[in-house]
Amino acid sequence: MSSASEVPTDVVGRAIRLLVLVGEHPHGVTLSVLARESGVPVSTAHRLVNSLCREGLVEFEAADKRYRPGLRLFQLGQQAGQAYGFAGTALPVMQRVTRQTEEATLMSVLDGTRHLYLHYVDGPLPVGVRSEPGRHGPLHCTSMGKVLMAFAPDDVRADLLDRVELTPHGPNSITDRDDLREEVARAAERGYATADEEHHRGLRAVAVPVLRPDGNVFAALSTAAPAFRRSMDDLVAMVPLLQAAASELGVRLPAR
């Protein structure tokens, strides 16, 4: 949620703010909530969100008076995914990883001081990890977040280590900034990061970086599993498999 001091003053900025908020409420959001969370006056929010509706980016459900993401927004998302090679390139590789691990495979990219879930492949076992592409996750308590920080350019990494919020999400969340710095440095040294019930109770994960041929980090690739089924040693044993998949993706994903 943004503070009023951060509200864009231009019309385009306000419209984008509203569109992002609608996207963050896939089950629908009322005009009053949109106005409150965006900091945009109700009358202005109403006018702008209706403009988004005319373009098909947002849909209005009269029955419950809620705004939802429109099909045009979905279409644009699919086109962006194709441009980045997610569907055509990343998904088959991730599906292969899941067939070998029998656990969920996830991919995310750095987005400000959070990471954005891009792709998710569900595991075949009855109880597993669930994820929603398009949603954000914290950096300090997820294996992918730690990897994205560890392999970011030096200035980006230093800035993130100073600024990320250390909110305790799970029983083992890192809440000390020096501990986080040590954990990220360890991830950079060994080439992977772990999270042991740090984001959610009962969830463990391991992640590796997806690096471009020039060495720049593009994304993080992760295997996640329920703690009752996989020990951390089990997940760390999957690191070579994840690294092989990440190397393949680093070469095959379109250069940007």
Side-chain angles (χ1 to χ4, degrees), residues 86 107-111 114-118 139 148 218-220:
F86 298 149
M107 176 184 280
S108 71
V109 294
L110 186 64
D111 186 15
R114 299 177 294 175
H115 67 93
L116 177 69
Y117 292 101
L118 294 181
L139 296 179
L148 290 168
F218 170 70

Side-chain angles (χ1 to χ4, degrees), residues 37 50 93 96 100 131 178 194 204 225 237 246-247:
E37 293 193 1
N50 282 343
V93 173
R96 189 178 70 231
Q100 294 174 282
S131 178
D178 287 337
T194 61
R204 291 182 174 132
S247 295

Side-chain angles (χ1 to χ4, degrees), residues 2 36 70 78 115 120 174 190 221 249 255:
S2 301
R36 183 176 69 250
Q78 292 295 100
H115 67 93
Y120 160 74
I174 295 175
R190 64 190 183 187
L221 191 66
L249 289 173

Side-chain angles (χ1 to χ4, degrees), residues 35-94:
R36 183 176 69 250
E37 293 193 1
S38 68
V40 175
V42 173
S43 59
T44 304
H46 184 259
R47 174 170 56 83
L48 292 176
V49 78
N50 282 343
S51 295
L52 296 172
C53 286
R54 286 195 297 271
E55 297 299 323
L57 295 168
V58 174
E59 293 180 354
F60 179 67
E61 295 289 342
D64 58 6
K65 300 187 185 307
R66 288 176 177 268
Y67 294 92
R68 292 177 172 82
L71 287 177
R72 177 62 176 153
L73 190 60
F74 172 78
Q75 180 187 26
L76 291 173
Q78 292 295 100
Q79 290 171 344
Q82 290 290 345
Y84 278 92
F86 298 149
T89 300
L91 190 56
V93 173
M94 294 172 66

Side-chain angles (χ1 to χ4, degrees), residues 2-214:
S2 301
S3 66
S5 63
E6 298 171 336
V7 177
T9 57
D10 61 299
V11 172
V12 173
R14 290 185 171 194
I16 292 173
R17 171 70 59 81
L18 292 168
L19 182 60
V20 169
L21 283 172
V22 171
E24 292 178 348
H25 294 81
H27 302 297
V29 58
T30 63
L31 179 63
S32 61
V33 171
L34 277 177
R36 183 176 69 250
E37 293 193 1
S38 68
V40 175
V42 173
S43 59
T44 304
H46 184 259
R47 174 170 56 83
L48 292 176
V49 78
N50 282 343
S51 295
L52 296 172
C53 286
R54 286 195 297 271
E55 297 299 323
L57 295 168
V58 174
E59 293 180 354
F60 179 67
E61 295 289 342
D64 58 6
K65 300 187 185 307
R66 288 176 177 268
Y67 294 92
R68 292 177 172 82
L71 287 177
R72 177 62 176 153
L73 190 60
F74 172 78
Q75 180 187 26
L76 291 173
Q78 292 295 100
Q79 290 171 344
Q82 290 290 345
Y84 278 92
F86 298 149
T89 300
L91 190 56
V93 173
M94 294 172 66
Q95 289 170 335
R96 189 178 70 231
V97 171
T98 288
R99 284 195 298 271
Q100 294 174 282
T101 64
E102 296 191 318
E103 301 293 354
T105 306
L106 305 89
M107 176 184 280
S108 71
V109 294
L110 186 64
D111 186 15
T113 57
R114 299 177 294 175
H115 67 93
L116 177 69
Y117 292 101
L118 294 181
H119 238 316
Y120 160 74
V121 176
D122 192 11
L125 301 176
V127 178
V129 175
R130 299 290 180 265
S131 178
E132 292 185 55
R135 306 291 284 183
H136 284 96
L139 296 179
H140 69 292
C141 60
T142 60
S143 60
M144 290 193 291
K146 294 175 189 176
V147 154
L148 290 168
M149 286 192 289
F151 289 87
D154 293 346
D155 57 336
V156 175
R157 180 174 61 252
D159 179 62
L160 289 172
L161 288 171
D162 285 339
R163 292 200 301 128
V164 293
E165 295 183 6
L166 303 184
T167 305
H169 290 273
N172 297 329
S173 291
I174 295 175
T175 57
D176 180 87
R177 206 160 292 278
D178 287 337
D179 289 345
L180 179 62
R181 290 190 176 94
E182 290 179 7
E183 181 78 356
V184 169
R186 193 157 44 242
E189 181 180 354
R190 64 190 183 187
Y192 68 89
T194 61
D196 188 357
E197 298 191 82
E198 296 175 44
H199 192 199
H200 296 289
R201 182 180 298 276
L203 171 65
R204 291 182 174 132
V206 63
V208 302
V210 178
L211 302 175
R212 295 292 192 191
D214 61 6

Side-chain angles (χ1 to χ4, degrees), residues 208-253:
V208 302
V210 178
L211 302 175
R212 295 292 192 191
D214 61 6
N216 290 323
V217 65
F218 170 70
L221 191 66
S222 171
T223 291
F228 74 83
R229 187 164 63 228
R230 299 287 188 179
S231 67
M232 282 310 312
D233 286 344
D234 291 335
L235 290 176
V236 170
M238 298 176 187
V239 165
L241 175 63
L242 282 172
Q243 289 175 329
S247 295
E248 181 178 350
L249 289 173
V251 172
R252 294 178 59 191
L253 287 170

